[in-house]
Amino acid sequence: MSREKRKLVSIKDIAQEAGVSPSTVSRALHNHPHISTETGERVQRLAHEMGYTPSLLARSLVTQDTATIGLVITYTADPFLSRLVQGVEETARNSGYSVFLSSSYRDYERELEVVRSFHERRTSGIIITGSQIDTDYLDLDDRFPLPIVLINCRTYPYSVSADKISGAKQAVEHLVQLGHRRIAFVSNAKLSTDLDRQTSYQQVLREHDIPIDDTLVVEGDGMLESGVRAGQKLLSLPQPPTAIFCFNDLTAMGVLTALREADLQVPRDCSVVGFDDLEISAYLCPPLTTVRQPCYRMGQAAIRMLLQLIRGENGIQAEILQTELIVRQTTGLAPEPS
Amino acid sequence: MSREKRKLVSIKDIAQEAGVSPSTVSRALHNHPHISTETGERVQRLAHEMGYTPSLLARSLVTQDTATIGLVITYTADPFLSRLVQGVEETARNSGYSVFLSSSYRDYERELEVVRSFHERRTSGIIITGSQIDTDYLDLDDRFPLPIVLINCRTYPYSVSADKISGAKQAVEHLVQLGHRRIAFVSNAKLSTDLDRQTSYQQVLREHDIPIDDTLVVEGDGMLESGVRAGQKLLSLPQPPTAIFCFNDLTAMGVLTALREADLQVPRDCSVVGFDDLEISAYLCPPLTTVRQPCYRMGQAAIRMLLQLIRGENGIQAEILQTELIVRQTTGLAPEPS
DNA sequence: TGAATCTCTGCAAACGTTTGCACAATCATA
DNA sequence: TATGATTGTGCAAACGTTTGCAGAGATTCA
């Protein structure tokens, strides 16, 4: 177990050993056409024997390309993002790119800092999700002269989003069809993408001549615990809702917990709809009705768009992926008014 | 929106503009003591105005230090790992390090490939979790001359683990205390760390003179779906178990689903214990009794150990963090034998 | 035989930094 | 006034690669 800092072997060392010039070694290792098979093989063998590992630092410096992209997310622990990260990472790797990952914790300063750090490392491009930079993306573009793709930020020209408007619409309409008229919405005030859901929510209600009751809209932050609190708050209303549409599945899980603690049956006493369709959502009790966001494919689409930008292709435009209502067992007919 | 490839400004450009040498610029930017305040300020101002972003590539090449560590995990989507990643990333960042993340998908070849890729990028060190390299870690050490810390691999000298032996023991003993004698175990054959749990399981049974029944040990893979299948298999036994100890919380969630689909009540008809204590586990229905692994702190400990290795400190030894049984509502008294 | 072509290899510059050393100018000291 | 210390700056090498260009032999062709 030798842990001392050994000097790494470089192309020069191989050159010396093989009695050729460094350039020849470099070419031999890259199967350059003009290298004799004899030299080629000898160099390759030596490189292997001497335990040579090329330095991508040095190479990137001259080729001006790191084959690396940076991915900024809000929290690693967010299960929705996990799948997205996987989509980015797998697709990137298949194209020969590696991925730097860093979290912004929904903090504007931190987000900028991460982007700068990526740029210093000369990543070929950057993908940002849950961006706080919404408003001044122009500034972003100005400050960092490298391709950037945003996820779920439709104001930015290069972005990938899920169609939340349609998703939310389907969800609320589903509830209306089941006879619900007191439908609550648990929002995520901190995230701008939340607006799409909320707008759809109100629109559907209006279309069905259902009065909009502000007390039925409560604020959350997209996490479990806030779902619980939101649920409790809604249940304590003089006239509680018969259905609750949630910002995401985690919030819905919290709401379900609140309902259970209040000894209410789902969906008999109250229906619940989530958003995201996390893997676990199908295994809840009861299995959650929710709007599926194609998180993996969103990651995939984002990295593809980024690679196009890196290659300098043009005609690239924002992409919107479809969402889909998955009806499971947390939604049912509205209870008869007693 | 200018997306064309602008030439980045370098130290030389600033030097030219300021009428000094590149070395002076470099020193000015690092607040080197021997620089006159006048020059210092002028250079700093120019650097800012010209939009200078230092190249960490070039710097790393000469300083021989990238201030970057590589983190290899099995799947990004594994919620247990998400917290661990967070522990690594936050702690790394506080020490001025960035993190490369890549997944191995539990594939040996892939894992080696990722490690090699990290080494090519000259990461200062590497953390591996869910390693498949268990047996020939010596080979690993030989092949990659850089500090490596493994998580949950006790055979490797530099490792951080949770005390699974004690955790599993607490879990099974808890079940025995509740009067259970037919206790099943859902394993994860693919992971060597599973052995600790299984050994403890058998040991506790022996200590209490409970016969070991091989049909009560079924194989899973640590994912939701395999938990469902394992549950179904156990329930179809001529004499099904009254309690099921699961490799991890996801498996337990699957088992709970199987029980629910079979119209069995938890814990009245069957008790269930998980392992990990994911955040969601407290919000399941019923809330899951489980063994808590300090995943965040494990990540933290791993990166700390790695930084010590990087600094060349000695006297470093494997670290084992405590686990803790969290009793919630999926465990109860064994049903009376009918 | 000479010229042209082809095959293989080396030289040297470049990428963008850092840093040891030398040097010039200024200043304080004796 | 000479001496030494101090302060600020520049030169040049180094980090480990890649690559355009040139050149040396070998081969082909007329």
Side-chain angles (χ1 to χ4, degrees):
Chain A
M1 182 74 28
S2 54
R3 267 277 128 273
E4 82 282 2
K5 220 166 192 167
R6 297 170 237 173
K7 179 90 165 43
L8 295 184
V9 4
S10 79
I11 265 190
K12 285 184 197 165
D13 301 323
I14 305 179
Q16 183 149 21
E17 196 72 20
V20 295
S21 77
S23 10
T24 302
V25 174
S26 172
R27 287 193 259 254
L29 294 176
H30 286 67
N31 297 313
H32 188 94
H34 287 329
I35 291 289
S36 72
T37 34
E38 194 266 325
T39 319
E41 281 171 8
R42 189 158 43 98
V43 167
Q44 302 243 19
R45 183 168 40 76
L46 267 169
H48 186 257
E49 282 174 14
M50 300 172 70
Y52 171 69
T53 309
S55 164
L56 254 45
L57 291 184
R59 177 213 299 254
S60 300
L61 196 57
V62 25
T63 61
Q64 298 285 61
D65 176 22
T66 55
T68 301
I69 72 114
L71 174 57
V72 192
I73 62 178
T74 48
Y75 299 94
T76 17
D78 183 333
F80 168 68
L81 292 175
S82 309
R83 280 291 289 168
L84 193 145
V85 171
Q86 196 170 353
V88 170
E89 209 246 336
E90 287 188 21
T91 316
R93 177 155 34 81
N94 290 339
S95 307
Y97 281 73
S98 287
V99 175
F100 262 124
L101 182 83
S102 224
S103 346
S104 66
Y105 304 104
R106 292 229 176 96
D107 178 59
Y108 178 88
E109 290 300 330
R110 173 95 193 96
E111 183 168 328
L112 247 48
E113 192 193 314
V114 168
V115 173
R116 179 165 352 103
S117 144
F118 283 162
H119 181 37
E120 286 184 348
R121 290 188 152 74
R122 295 295 186 266
T123 56
S124 314
I126 297 183
I127 297 176
I128 309 181
T129 164
S131 176
Q132 300 302 300
I133 315 194
D134 275 30
T135 46
D136 42 34
Y137 61 85
L138 279 166
D139 187 40
L140 177 92
D141 221 59
D142 221 42
R143 207 184 309 197
F144 302 105
L146 80 175
I148 296 183
V149 168
L150 293 192
I151 290 183
N152 279 337
C153 170
R154 305 246 288 269
T155 45
Y156 188 78
Y158 306 115
S159 69
V160 170
S161 326
D163 188 351
K164 304 200 170 56
I165 298 188
S166 149
K169 205 171 151 191
Q170 291 175 64
V172 182
E173 248 160 16
H174 170 61
L175 291 172
V176 172
Q177 300 304 331
L178 289 169
H180 293 279
R181 308 215 15 114
R182 285 195 68 72
I183 302 174
F185 176 57
V186 183
S187 75
N188 182 349
K190 294 198 188 144
L191 216 55
S192 67
T193 58
D194 181 61
L195 276 180
D196 284 349
R197 297 178 179 76
Q198 194 156 351
T199 311
S200 289
Y201 161 78
Q202 293 173 339
Q203 191 189 327
V204 172
L205 293 191
R206 258 195 301 273
E207 280 170 14
H208 291 271
D209 292 323
I210 299 175
I212 290 179
D213 180 346
D214 283 343
T215 62
L216 287 181
V217 176
V218 313
E219 238 178 52
D221 63 7
M223 313 248 196
L224 275 165
E225 194 46 43
S226 91
V228 177
R229 282 196 305 274
Q232 289 165 345
K233 191 166 169 191
L234 287 169
L235 293 180
S236 69
L237 288 177
Q239 204 183 344
T242 66
I244 305 176
F245 174 42
C246 303
F247 167 78
N248 65 7
D249 283 2
L250 285 184
T251 307
M253 283 186 66
V255 167
L256 285 177
T257 301
L259 290 171
R260 182 158 34 83
E261 284 173 354
D263 270 330
L264 293 176
Q265 290 280 326
V266 174
R268 198 196 59 193
D269 303 319
C270 186
S271 289
V272 175
V273 181
F275 209 106
D276 283 351
D277 192 30
L278 303 179
E279 201 198 348
I280 51 167
S281 300
Y283 296 85
L284 295 182
C285 161
L288 185 68
T289 295
T290 188
V291 178
R292 176 175 297 167
Q293 276 200 84
C295 25
Y296 184 90
R297 273 174 37 226
M298 287 171 73
Q300 209 168 35
I303 179 79
R304 283 194 186 136
M305 181 179 292
L306 188 63
L307 292 179
Q308 289 183 308
L309 281 171
I310 291 172
R311 284 193 294 263
E313 299 180 15
N314 38 26
I316 297 163
Q317 39 188 328
E319 207 167 320
I320 299 185
L321 301 185
Q322 283 311 304
T323 51
E324 181 191 1
L325 178 69
I326 309 285
V327 178
R328 295 205 183 91
Q329 300 167 35
T330 53
T331 45
L333 289 176
E336 293 296 317
S338 52
Chain B
M1 183 72 31
S2 54
R3 265 283 125 270
E4 82 283 1
K5 221 166 192 166
R6 295 169 237 172
K7 177 90 165 46
L8 296 183
V9 4
S10 78
I11 265 190
K12 285 184 195 165
D13 302 322
I14 304 179
Q16 183 148 21
E17 197 72 20
V20 295
S21 76
S23 9
T24 302
V25 174
S26 172
R27 287 193 259 256
L29 294 175
H30 287 63
N31 298 313
H32 187 96
H34 287 328
I35 293 287
S36 73
T37 34
E38 193 266 325
T39 319
E41 280 171 9
R42 188 158 43 96
V43 167
Q44 303 242 19
R45 183 168 40 75
L46 267 169
H48 186 256
E49 281 174 15
M50 301 172 69
Y52 171 71
T53 310
S55 164
L56 255 43
L57 291 185
R59 178 214 297 257
S60 299
L61 196 58
V62 24
T63 61
Q64 299 284 60
D65 176 22
T66 54
T68 300
I69 73 113
L71 175 57
V72 191
I73 62 178
T74 49
Y75 300 93
T76 17
D78 182 334
F80 168 68
L81 291 175
S82 310
R83 281 291 288 167
L84 193 145
V85 171
Q86 195 169 354
V88 170
E89 210 246 336
E90 287 187 22
T91 316
R93 175 155 36 78
N94 290 339
S95 307
Y97 281 73
S98 286
V99 176
F100 262 125
L101 182 81
S102 224
S103 345
S104 66
Y105 303 105
R106 292 230 177 97
D107 179 60
Y108 178 88
E109 291 300 330
R110 174 94 193 95
E111 183 168 329
L112 246 48
E113 192 192 315
V114 168
V115 172
R116 179 164 351 104
S117 144
F118 282 162
H119 181 35
E120 286 185 348
R121 289 188 153 75
R122 297 294 187 264
T123 56
S124 314
I126 297 182
I127 296 177
I128 308 181
T129 161
S131 176
Q132 301 301 301
I133 315 194
D134 275 31
T135 44
D136 42 35
Y137 60 84
L138 279 166
D139 187 41
L140 176 93
D141 221 59
D142 222 42
R143 209 184 308 200
F144 301 106
L146 80 175
I148 296 182
V149 167
L150 294 192
I151 291 183
N152 279 338
C153 170
R154 304 246 289 269
T155 44
Y156 188 78
Y158 306 115
S159 70
V160 171
S161 328
D163 188 351
K164 304 200 168 61
I165 298 189
S166 148
K169 204 171 152 191
Q170 289 175 66
V172 182
E173 247 161 15
H174 170 60
L175 292 172
V176 171
Q177 301 303 332
L178 288 169
H180 294 278
R181 308 218 10 119
R182 284 194 69 72
I183 302 173
F185 176 58
V186 183
S187 75
N188 181 348
K190 294 198 188 144
L191 216 57
S192 68
T193 57
D194 181 62
L195 277 179
D196 283 350
R197 298 177 178 79
Q198 194 156 352
T199 311
S200 289
Y201 162 76
Q202 294 173 339
Q203 189 190 331
V204 172
L205 293 191
R206 256 195 301 275
E207 280 171 13
H208 290 273
D209 293 322
I210 299 176
I212 291 178
D213 180 347
D214 283 343
T215 62
L216 288 180
V217 177
V218 314
E219 240 179 49
D221 64 5
M223 314 247 195
L224 275 165
E225 195 45 44
S226 90
V228 178
R229 282 197 304 275
Q232 290 165 343
K233 191 167 168 191
L234 287 170
L235 293 179
S236 69
L237 287 179
Q239 204 182 346
T242 65
I244 305 177
F245 174 43
C246 302
F247 168 78
N248 65 8
D249 282 2
L250 285 184
T251 305
M253 282 185 67
V255 166
L256 286 176
T257 302
L259 290 171
R260 182 158 35 80
E261 285 172 354
D263 270 330
L264 294 177
Q265 292 280 327
V266 174
R268 197 196 60 192
D269 303 319
C270 186
S271 289
V272 175
V273 181
F275 210 107
D276 282 351
D277 192 30
L278 304 177
E279 201 196 350
I280 51 167
S281 299
Y283 296 85
L284 295 182
C285 162
L288 185 68
T289 296
T290 187
V291 178
R292 175 174 297 166
Q293 277 199 85
C295 24
Y296 185 91
R297 273 172 39 226
M298 285 171 73
Q300 209 169 35
I303 179 78
R304 283 195 186 135
M305 182 179 292
L306 187 64
L307 291 179
Q308 288 183 308
L309 281 171
I310 290 171
R311 283 194 295 262
E313 298 180 16
N314 38 25
I316 297 163
Q317 40 187 327
E319 208 167 319
I320 299 184
L321 302 184
Q322 281 313 304
T323 51
E324 181 191 1
L325 178 71
I326 308 285
V327 178
R328 297 206 180 90
Q329 298 166 35
T330 53
T331 44
L333 287 176
E336 294 295 317
S338 53

